[in-house]
Amino acid sequence: MASRQQAAGTPAAPPAAPLWAVQSLVFLASLGTGSVTNGIFFIAKQACGFSAKENFGLGALLGITYIIGAIGVGPALRRVAARHRAVSSRSVLVLLSVVMAGAAVLPRIAIRGEGEAATGAWSIWVAIGLFSPCSGAFWPIVESFLGGGRSGHTLRRALGQFNIIWAASVIAASWAMGPLLERHALEVLVGFGVVQLASTLLVWPLGPEPGVHLAEHHEPHPLVYGALLTTFRMLLPTSYYILSVWSPYAPSVMDRLEVGVAWQVPIAATWMLSRFVAFATMERWHGWHGRWWLVVVGVVGMVGGIVTALSAPFLGGGLGTPVLVAGLAVLGLGNGVIYSASLYYAMEVGKGEVEAGGTHEALIGVGFAGGPLTGWAAVALVGPGERGNVAILVALGAVLVVVGLAVGWRVWRAARAVRAAREVTGGG
């Protein structure tokens, strides 16, 4: 097939990008995008005195603009490529990295001293307004380079490594920024902006465009994968909805438990450690592929974890801090299960295209936006503190009941379909 195309003068389909280059880019870029996404609320509080309500608003901006970037990148790439042959996915990655690096440096330029912190708070909002949509567009392209031209065992291996690498990078960034936040919060942003800019050196080995799945090379996937993809796509935004309720509120929770500033980000990042464990387990063991019980594991983890974590401040510092750590650990396991399964089925069913990654990232953005909006509304209506926590728990409970009913209905329909298929084929 390829030889006939080349003989006829038709360009051969791009091969899969070198895995070492993709994964190296993932590690460096995750230091920047992961730390800004998870650490900006601590930075804003420490550098500019953001309240819980302001942090929830900042989180909503982050999520909404992330969705715009993730949804828009695929169609935008197609339109631009049709008009300008010189523009490639690789060049767009470089441009996005440059803009993200500039956004990370902006607050340090705008805020030169302690007296300017209040008047320079606008720079935090502008930085996130620039950084987040670029990040939303950046990752679907990276995921298309990762999944394009790969399927079956090769795709499973690449995705498993991808999850482990970016999760380890985010953990490293979170622990590194912890001791620096009290006196050098804005410099933390600058450092990660520089790393983001340096990561462009790893874009060039990828090739101009992601690899393409040729029909004869793409392994067929079981029919159940489509149903599982739909189910995990319901759970994915819910999982990040929960995390995004937690992240803007975390600094206030840490203060109430009297946790020192240097330990706040590392403790708040407990869920990242347990998520890393989930990623590593699912990368090495593939018995979860095509299994519905994994849905239950993900749901129990995310619900039980966040309820435990948000209940911790009611217990006081002595008992509250260990309970908080335990809740975040369970939450991370649930998030890791849901994220891994959702991305795997998206890439396998969607054949590694930018739109498949874009939908995956956009759903994450829905969660990023929905959680802070819930927190903002709760704090605005009843105020911060214990009453705000209760209001957030009530809102979370309502969302989880609705999602739980929808997922339960999906699982029930799938079970009926399996039984009907067995009856038709005479299977046991």
Side-chain angles (χ1 to χ4, degrees):
M1 175 73 171
S3 61
R4 286 200 301 269
Q5 286 178 331
Q6 291 169 352
T10 302
L19 192 57
W20 70 266
V22 180
Q23 305 293 33
S24 299
L25 173 64
V26 166
F27 181 82
L28 280 186
S30 295
L31 287 173
T33 59
S35 59
V36 171
T37 300
N38 295 289
I40 190 60
F41 308 108
F42 294 92
I43 294 170
K45 178 178 179 293
Q46 199 62 31
C48 298
F50 272 38
S51 65
K53 184 178 178 182
E54 288 172 318
N55 262 343
F56 279 127
L58 188 63
L61 174 66
L62 188 153
I64 291 169
T65 53
Y66 193 92
I67 295 170
I68 293 171
I71 289 179
V73 63
L77 274 176
R78 283 199 307 272
R79 286 196 297 269
V80 172
R83 297 179 182 179
H84 308 283
R85 289 191 174 184
V87 177
S88 65
S89 296
R90 179 172 61 187
S91 62
V92 171
L93 280 181
V94 173
L95 175 62
L96 292 171
S97 292
V98 170
V99 175
M100 285 190 282
V105 173
L106 176 62
R108 176 69 283 178
I109 296 174
I111 304 171
R112 298 182 179 277
E114 291 184 10
E116 299 180 29
T119 57
W122 63 267
S123 63
I124 298 287
W125 295 95
V126 173
I128 291 302
L130 291 171
F131 189 98
S132 187
C134 290
S135 179
F138 181 88
W139 286 109
I141 301 175
V142 172
E143 288 162 5
S144 69
F145 275 107
L146 177 75
R150 296 182 174 93
S151 63
H153 175 73
T154 304
L155 179 63
R156 287 192 290 270
R157 178 172 169 269
L159 289 176
Q161 292 177 358
F162 168 79
N163 289 337
I164 291 172
I165 289 168
W166 74 254
S169 177
V170 171
I171 292 170
S174 298
W175 278 80
M177 76 169 72
L180 300 173
L181 282 179
E182 189 167 6
R183 295 183 180 275
H184 305 288
L186 296 177
E187 284 75 10
V188 168
L189 272 182
V190 173
F192 289 126
V194 171
V195 171
Q196 183 70 41
L197 190 61
S199 71
T200 57
L201 297 175
L202 293 165
V203 172
W204 298 108
L206 300 181
E209 297 295 339
V212 174
H213 280 296
L214 299 178
E216 65 268 29
H217 295 158
H218 185 70
E219 298 180 19
H221 58 78
L223 291 177
V224 72
Y225 279 24
L228 283 165
L229 173 60
T230 302
T231 303
F232 277 106
R233 277 183 167 171
M234 293 179 185
L235 294 177
L236 184 64
T238 309
S239 175
Y240 276 88
Y241 169 80
I242 290 172
L243 289 175
S244 63
V245 165
W246 161 250
S247 292
Y249 209 68
S252 299
V253 172
M254 297 295 175
D255 286 345
R256 293 181 62 201
L257 293 174
E258 298 181 349
V259 177
V261 173
W263 282 100
Q264 287 190 5
V265 172
I267 288 178
T270 299
W271 64 270
M272 299 180 191
L273 286 170
S274 57
R275 179 177 65 181
F276 178 83
V277 172
F279 285 165
T281 301
M282 295 174 74
E283 190 272 338
R284 301 306 302 171
W285 176 67
H286 298 159
W288 56 271
H289 293 156
R291 307 299 182 188
W292 283 97
W293 56 259
L294 194 69
V295 174
V296 178
V297 174
V299 169
V300 170
M302 71 176 183
V303 175
I306 191 59
V307 170
T308 303
L310 286 177
S311 300
F314 297 99
L315 304 176
L319 181 59
T321 301
V323 169
L324 172 65
V325 171
L328 292 176
V330 174
L331 176 61
L333 290 173
N335 176 262
V337 164
I338 292 168
Y339 182 95
S340 291
S342 179
L343 181 59
Y344 170 70
Y345 293 127
M347 291 291 104
E348 190 66 79
V349 175
K351 301 182 180 180
E353 295 177 353
V354 173
E355 281 81 356
T359 301
H360 176 81
E361 296 297 331
L363 290 171
I364 291 174
V366 170
F368 275 151
L373 285 171
T374 299
W376 183 87
V379 172
L381 290 172
V382 303
E386 292 186 5
R387 293 201 305 172
N389 241 346
V390 171
I392 291 171
L393 281 172
V394 170
L396 273 175
V399 170
L400 293 176
V401 166
V402 172
V403 173
L405 290 173
V407 170
W409 179 71
R410 286 288 308 172
V411 174
W412 177 75
R413 281 191 62 190
R416 282 190 62 189
V418 169
R419 285 196 299 268
R422 287 176 176 174
E423 290 174 2
V424 170
T425 59

PDB file of all heavy atoms in Angstrom, residues 63-90:
ATOM      1  N   GLY A  63     -10.645  26.767  34.304  1.00  0.00           N
ATOM      2  CA  GLY A  63     -11.384  25.672  33.679  1.00  0.00           C
ATOM      3  C   GLY A  63     -12.074  26.067  32.388  1.00  0.00           C
ATOM      4  O   GLY A  63     -12.016  25.343  31.395  1.00  0.00           O
ATOM      5  N   ILE A  64     -12.723  27.217  32.380  1.00  0.00           N
ATOM      6  CA  ILE A  64     -13.475  27.639  31.196  1.00  0.00           C
ATOM      7  C   ILE A  64     -12.534  27.878  30.011  1.00  0.00           C
ATOM      8  O   ILE A  64     -12.807  27.464  28.881  1.00  0.00           O
ATOM      9  CB  ILE A  64     -14.296  28.901  31.510  1.00  0.00           C
ATOM     10  CG1 ILE A  64     -15.428  28.554  32.493  1.00  0.00           C
ATOM     11  CG2 ILE A  64     -14.877  29.502  30.228  1.00  0.00           C
ATOM     12  CD1 ILE A  64     -16.134  29.760  33.071  1.00  0.00           C
ATOM     13  N   THR A  65     -11.423  28.554  30.269  1.00  0.00           N
ATOM     14  CA  THR A  65     -10.484  28.815  29.171  1.00  0.00           C
ATOM     15  C   THR A  65      -9.779  27.541  28.714  1.00  0.00           C
ATOM     16  O   THR A  65      -9.424  27.416  27.541  1.00  0.00           O
ATOM     17  CB  THR A  65      -9.451  29.878  29.594  1.00  0.00           C
ATOM     18  OG1 THR A  65      -8.815  29.486  30.826  1.00  0.00           O
ATOM     19  CG2 THR A  65     -10.120  31.228  29.780  1.00  0.00           C
ATOM     20  N   TYR A  66      -9.589  26.596  29.631  1.00  0.00           N
ATOM     21  CA  TYR A  66      -8.994  25.305  29.259  1.00  0.00           C
ATOM     22  C   TYR A  66      -9.902  24.566  28.281  1.00  0.00           C
ATOM     23  O   TYR A  66      -9.441  23.974  27.297  1.00  0.00           O
ATOM     24  CB  TYR A  66      -8.766  24.469  30.517  1.00  0.00           C
ATOM     25  CG  TYR A  66      -7.880  23.253  30.318  1.00  0.00           C
ATOM     26  CD1 TYR A  66      -6.502  23.340  30.525  1.00  0.00           C
ATOM     27  CD2 TYR A  66      -8.405  22.019  29.948  1.00  0.00           C
ATOM     28  CE1 TYR A  66      -5.683  22.235  30.360  1.00  0.00           C
ATOM     29  CE2 TYR A  66      -7.596  20.918  29.778  1.00  0.00           C
ATOM     30  CZ  TYR A  66      -6.230  21.024  29.993  1.00  0.00           C
ATOM     31  OH  TYR A  66      -5.426  19.928  29.819  1.00  0.00           O
ATOM     32  N   ILE A  67     -11.204  24.591  28.548  1.00  0.00           N
ATOM     33  CA  ILE A  67     -12.173  23.951  27.642  1.00  0.00           C
ATOM     34  C   ILE A  67     -12.086  24.569  26.256  1.00  0.00           C
ATOM     35  O   ILE A  67     -12.081  23.856  25.238  1.00  0.00           O
ATOM     36  CB  ILE A  67     -13.609  24.107  28.195  1.00  0.00           C
ATOM     37  CG1 ILE A  67     -13.771  23.357  29.513  1.00  0.00           C
ATOM     38  CG2 ILE A  67     -14.630  23.595  27.177  1.00  0.00           C
ATOM     39  CD1 ILE A  67     -15.075  23.668  30.221  1.00  0.00           C
ATOM     40  N   ILE A  68     -12.036  25.900  26.198  1.00  0.00           N
ATOM     41  CA  ILE A  68     -11.979  26.592  24.904  1.00  0.00           C
ATOM     42  C   ILE A  68     -10.767  26.130  24.109  1.00  0.00           C
ATOM     43  O   ILE A  68     -10.851  25.831  22.912  1.00  0.00           O
ATOM     44  CB  ILE A  68     -11.954  28.112  25.117  1.00  0.00           C
ATOM     45  CG1 ILE A  68     -13.290  28.585  25.716  1.00  0.00           C
ATOM     46  CG2 ILE A  68     -11.668  28.835  23.809  1.00  0.00           C
ATOM     47  CD1 ILE A  68     -13.285  30.028  26.172  1.00  0.00           C
ATOM     48  N   GLY A  69      -9.612  26.052  24.776  1.00  0.00           N
ATOM     49  CA  GLY A  69      -8.404  25.613  24.088  1.00  0.00           C
ATOM     50  C   GLY A  69      -8.483  24.176  23.623  1.00  0.00           C
ATOM     51  O   GLY A  69      -8.091  23.848  22.495  1.00  0.00           O
ATOM     52  N   ALA A  70      -9.003  23.297  24.479  1.00  0.00           N
ATOM     53  CA  ALA A  70      -9.046  21.873  24.144  1.00  0.00           C
ATOM     54  C   ALA A  70     -10.021  21.577  23.013  1.00  0.00           C
ATOM     55  O   ALA A  70      -9.727  20.795  22.104  1.00  0.00           O
ATOM     56  CB  ALA A  70      -9.415  21.063  25.392  1.00  0.00           C
ATOM     57  N   ILE A  71     -11.196  22.193  23.056  1.00  0.00           N
ATOM     58  CA  ILE A  71     -12.197  21.948  22.014  1.00  0.00           C
ATOM     59  C   ILE A  71     -11.788  22.591  20.693  1.00  0.00           C
ATOM     60  O   ILE A  71     -12.001  22.039  19.620  1.00  0.00           O
ATOM     61  CB  ILE A  71     -13.573  22.490  22.459  1.00  0.00           C
ATOM     62  CG1 ILE A  71     -14.144  21.624  23.587  1.00  0.00           C
ATOM     63  CG2 ILE A  71     -14.544  22.512  21.288  1.00  0.00           C
ATOM     64  CD1 ILE A  71     -15.492  22.098  24.095  1.00  0.00           C
ATOM     65  N   GLY A  72     -11.184  23.759  20.768  1.00  0.00           N
ATOM     66  CA  GLY A  72     -10.905  24.507  19.552  1.00  0.00           C
ATOM     67  C   GLY A  72      -9.672  24.087  18.796  1.00  0.00           C
ATOM     68  O   GLY A  72      -9.546  24.379  17.604  1.00  0.00           O
ATOM     69  N   VAL A  73      -8.740  23.348  19.449  1.00  0.00           N
ATOM     70  CA  VAL A  73      -7.451  23.105  18.809  1.00  0.00           C
ATOM     71  C   VAL A  73      -7.562  22.220  17.571  1.00  0.00           C
ATOM     72  O   VAL A  73      -6.916  22.489  16.548  1.00  0.00           O
ATOM     73  CB  VAL A  73      -6.439  22.505  19.820  1.00  0.00           C
ATOM     74  CG1 VAL A  73      -6.899  21.146  20.339  1.00  0.00           C
ATOM     75  CG2 VAL A  73      -5.060  22.400  19.191  1.00  0.00           C
ATOM     76  N   GLY A  74      -8.385  21.179  17.611  1.00  0.00           N
ATOM     77  CA  GLY A  74      -8.501  20.285  16.456  1.00  0.00           C
ATOM     78  C   GLY A  74      -9.041  20.980  15.218  1.00  0.00           C
ATOM     79  O   GLY A  74      -8.396  20.988  14.161  1.00  0.00           O
ATOM     80  N   PRO A  75     -10.238  21.591  15.311  1.00  0.00           N
ATOM     81  CA  PRO A  75     -10.770  22.319  14.146  1.00  0.00           C
ATOM     82  C   PRO A  75      -9.854  23.446  13.683  1.00  0.00           C
ATOM     83  O   PRO A  75      -9.711  23.690  12.481  1.00  0.00           O
ATOM     84  CB  PRO A  75     -12.106  22.867  14.665  1.00  0.00           C
ATOM     85  CG  PRO A  75     -12.501  21.943  15.768  1.00  0.00           C
ATOM     86  CD  PRO A  75     -11.214  21.527  16.408  1.00  0.00           C
ATOM     87  N   ALA A  76      -9.220  24.155  14.640  1.00  0.00           N
ATOM     88  CA  ALA A  76      -8.338  25.254  14.259  1.00  0.00           C
ATOM     89  C   ALA A  76      -7.135  24.754  13.475  1.00  0.00           C
ATOM     90  O   ALA A  76      -6.735  25.366  12.474  1.00  0.00           O
ATOM     91  CB  ALA A  76      -7.874  26.007  15.508  1.00  0.00           C
ATOM     92  N   LEU A  77      -6.566  23.634  13.906  1.00  0.00           N
ATOM     93  CA  LEU A  77      -5.420  23.065  13.190  1.00  0.00           C
ATOM     94  C   LEU A  77      -5.797  22.690  11.765  1.00  0.00           C
ATOM     95  O   LEU A  77      -5.028  22.915  10.825  1.00  0.00           O
ATOM     96  CB  LEU A  77      -4.891  21.837  13.937  1.00  0.00           C
ATOM     97  CG  LEU A  77      -3.885  22.092  15.059  1.00  0.00           C
ATOM     98  CD1 LEU A  77      -3.544  20.782  15.758  1.00  0.00           C
ATOM     99  CD2 LEU A  77      -2.623  22.743  14.522  1.00  0.00           C
ATOM    100  N   ARG A  78      -6.984  22.107  11.583  1.00  0.00           N
ATOM    101  CA  ARG A  78      -7.421  21.708  10.237  1.00  0.00           C
ATOM    102  C   ARG A  78      -7.587  22.926   9.334  1.00  0.00           C
ATOM    103  O   ARG A  78      -7.170  22.915   8.181  1.00  0.00           O
ATOM    104  CB  ARG A  78      -8.735  20.925  10.321  1.00  0.00           C
ATOM    105  CG  ARG A  78      -8.574  19.484  10.776  1.00  0.00           C
ATOM    106  CD  ARG A  78      -9.801  18.665  10.392  1.00  0.00           C
ATOM    107  NE  ARG A  78     -11.039  19.268  10.864  1.00  0.00           N
ATOM    108  CZ  ARG A  78     -11.573  19.041  12.061  1.00  0.00           C
ATOM    109  NH1 ARG A  78     -10.951  18.245  12.908  1.00  0.00           N
ATOM    110  NH2 ARG A  78     -12.708  19.624  12.425  1.00  0.00           N
ATOM    111  N   ARG A  79      -8.207  23.987   9.857  1.00  0.00           N
ATOM    112  CA  ARG A  79      -8.440  25.184   9.036  1.00  0.00           C
ATOM    113  C   ARG A  79      -7.128  25.856   8.661  1.00  0.00           C
ATOM    114  O   ARG A  79      -6.928  26.264   7.516  1.00  0.00           O
ATOM    115  CB  ARG A  79      -9.356  26.164   9.779  1.00  0.00           C
ATOM    116  CG  ARG A  79     -10.811  25.736   9.836  1.00  0.00           C
ATOM    117  CD  ARG A  79     -11.695  26.899  10.228  1.00  0.00           C
ATOM    118  NE  ARG A  79     -11.374  27.384  11.566  1.00  0.00           N
ATOM    119  CZ  ARG A  79     -11.964  26.944  12.670  1.00  0.00           C
ATOM    120  NH1 ARG A  79     -12.892  25.991  12.594  1.00  0.00           N
ATOM    121  NH2 ARG A  79     -11.637  27.430  13.849  1.00  0.00           N
ATOM    122  N   VAL A  80      -6.229  25.981   9.646  1.00  0.00           N
ATOM    123  CA  VAL A  80      -4.952  26.647   9.374  1.00  0.00           C
ATOM    124  C   VAL A  80      -4.111  25.834   8.405  1.00  0.00           C
ATOM    125  O   VAL A  80      -3.489  26.377   7.481  1.00  0.00           O
ATOM    126  CB  VAL A  80      -4.185  26.884  10.691  1.00  0.00           C
ATOM    127  CG1 VAL A  80      -2.780  27.389  10.411  1.00  0.00           C
ATOM    128  CG2 VAL A  80      -4.933  27.892  11.568  1.00  0.00           C
ATOM    129  N   ALA A  81      -4.101  24.496   8.588  1.00  0.00           N
ATOM    130  CA  ALA A  81      -3.300  23.637   7.713  1.00  0.00           C
ATOM    131  C   ALA A  81      -3.808  23.695   6.277  1.00  0.00           C
ATOM    132  O   ALA A  81      -3.026  23.594   5.315  1.00  0.00           O
ATOM    133  CB  ALA A  81      -3.328  22.201   8.228  1.00  0.00           C
ATOM    134  N   ALA A  82      -5.130  23.876   6.104  1.00  0.00           N
ATOM    135  CA  ALA A  82      -5.687  23.945   4.757  1.00  0.00           C
ATOM    136  C   ALA A  82      -5.269  25.218   4.029  1.00  0.00           C
ATOM    137  O   ALA A  82      -5.191  25.244   2.795  1.00  0.00           O
ATOM    138  CB  ALA A  82      -7.216  23.858   4.827  1.00  0.00           C
ATOM    139  N   ARG A  83      -4.988  26.266   4.784  1.00  0.00           N
ATOM    140  CA  ARG A  83      -4.646  27.553   4.170  1.00  0.00           C
ATOM    141  C   ARG A  83      -3.147  27.825   4.143  1.00  0.00           C
ATOM    142  O   ARG A  83      -2.658  28.531   3.264  1.00  0.00           O
ATOM    143  CB  ARG A  83      -5.352  28.690   4.932  1.00  0.00           C
ATOM    144  CG  ARG A  83      -6.869  28.616   4.872  1.00  0.00           C
ATOM    145  CD  ARG A  83      -7.491  29.745   5.669  1.00  0.00           C
ATOM    146  NE  ARG A  83      -8.955  29.675   5.658  1.00  0.00           N
ATOM    147  CZ  ARG A  83      -9.752  30.533   6.289  1.00  0.00           C
ATOM    148  NH1 ARG A  83      -9.215  31.539   6.982  1.00  0.00           N
ATOM    149  NH2 ARG A  83     -11.055  30.393   6.234  1.00  0.00           N
ATOM    150  N   HIS A  84      -2.421  27.285   5.116  1.00  0.00           N
ATOM    151  CA  HIS A  84      -0.994  27.591   5.233  1.00  0.00           C
ATOM    152  C   HIS A  84      -0.213  26.288   5.433  1.00  0.00           C
ATOM    153  O   HIS A  84      -0.188  25.750   6.538  1.00  0.00           O
ATOM    154  CB  HIS A  84      -0.738  28.551   6.401  1.00  0.00           C
ATOM    155  CG  HIS A  84      -1.574  29.783   6.374  1.00  0.00           C
ATOM    156  ND1 HIS A  84      -1.302  30.852   5.537  1.00  0.00           N
ATOM    157  CD2 HIS A  84      -2.695  30.120   7.070  1.00  0.00           C
ATOM    158  CE1 HIS A  84      -2.216  31.794   5.734  1.00  0.00           C
ATOM    159  NE2 HIS A  84      -3.059  31.380   6.652  1.00  0.00           N
ATOM    160  N   ARG A  85       0.406  25.801   4.394  1.00  0.00           N
ATOM    161  CA  ARG A  85       1.120  24.535   4.474  1.00  0.00           C
ATOM    162  C   ARG A  85       2.325  24.596   5.404  1.00  0.00           C
ATOM    163  O   ARG A  85       2.774  23.576   5.913  1.00  0.00           O
ATOM    164  CB  ARG A  85       1.581  24.102   3.079  1.00  0.00           C
ATOM    165  CG  ARG A  85       0.447  23.657   2.172  1.00  0.00           C
ATOM    166  CD  ARG A  85       0.999  22.998   0.918  1.00  0.00           C
ATOM    167  NE  ARG A  85      -0.058  22.435   0.111  1.00  0.00           N
ATOM    168  CZ  ARG A  85       0.161  21.730  -1.002  1.00  0.00           C
ATOM    169  NH1 ARG A  85       1.410  21.557  -1.425  1.00  0.00           N
ATOM    170  NH2 ARG A  85      -0.852  21.235  -1.681  1.00  0.00           N
ATOM    171  N   ALA A  86       2.865  25.791   5.615  1.00  0.00           N
ATOM    172  CA  ALA A  86       4.043  25.920   6.467  1.00  0.00           C
ATOM    173  C   ALA A  86       3.719  25.709   7.945  1.00  0.00           C
ATOM    174  O   ALA A  86       4.611  25.431   8.738  1.00  0.00           O
ATOM    175  CB  ALA A  86       4.682  27.295   6.275  1.00  0.00           C
ATOM    176  N   VAL A  87       2.431  25.834   8.310  1.00  0.00           N
ATOM    177  CA  VAL A  87       2.025  25.663   9.708  1.00  0.00           C
ATOM    178  C   VAL A  87       1.807  24.180   9.975  1.00  0.00           C
ATOM    179  O   VAL A  87       1.062  23.509   9.264  1.00  0.00           O
ATOM    180  CB  VAL A  87       0.737  26.449  10.011  1.00  0.00           C
ATOM    181  CG1 VAL A  87       0.295  26.195  11.455  1.00  0.00           C
ATOM    182  CG2 VAL A  87       0.957  27.930   9.778  1.00  0.00           C
ATOM    183  N   SER A  88       2.467  23.671  11.013  1.00  0.00           N
ATOM    184  CA  SER A  88       2.349  22.255  11.369  1.00  0.00           C
ATOM    185  C   SER A  88       1.956  22.132  12.837  1.00  0.00           C
ATOM    186  O   SER A  88       2.004  23.103  13.598  1.00  0.00           O
ATOM    187  CB  SER A  88       3.677  21.537  11.148  1.00  0.00           C
ATOM    188  OG  SER A  88       4.670  22.039  12.027  1.00  0.00           O
ATOM    189  N   SER A  89       1.582  20.929  13.230  1.00  0.00           N
ATOM    190  CA  SER A  89       1.281  20.675  14.645  1.00  0.00           C
ATOM    191  C   SER A  89       2.496  20.969  15.507  1.00  0.00           C
ATOM    192  O   SER A  89       2.375  21.486  16.622  1.00  0.00           O
ATOM    193  CB  SER A  89       0.845  19.218  14.823  1.00  0.00           C
ATOM    194  OG  SER A  89      -0.349  18.957  14.133  1.00  0.00           O
ATOM    195  N   ARG A  90       3.672  20.650  15.008  1.00  0.00           N
ATOM    196  CA  ARG A  90       4.902  20.898  15.758  1.00  0.00           C
ATOM    197  C   ARG A  90       5.126  22.392  15.979  1.00  0.00           C
ATOM    198  O   ARG A  90       5.447  22.824  17.088  1.00  0.00           O
ATOM    199  CB  ARG A  90       6.098  20.301  15.009  1.00  0.00           C
ATOM    200  CG  ARG A  90       7.430  20.521  15.697  1.00  0.00           C
ATOM    201  CD  ARG A  90       8.535  19.760  15.014  1.00  0.00           C
ATOM    202  NE  ARG A  90       8.716  20.171  13.614  1.00  0.00           N
ATOM    203  CZ  ARG A  90       9.544  19.558  12.763  1.00  0.00           C
ATOM    204  NH1 ARG A  90      10.240  18.515  13.173  1.00  0.00           N
ATOM    205  NH2 ARG A  90       9.667  19.982  11.523  1.00  0.00           N
TER     206      ARG A  90
END
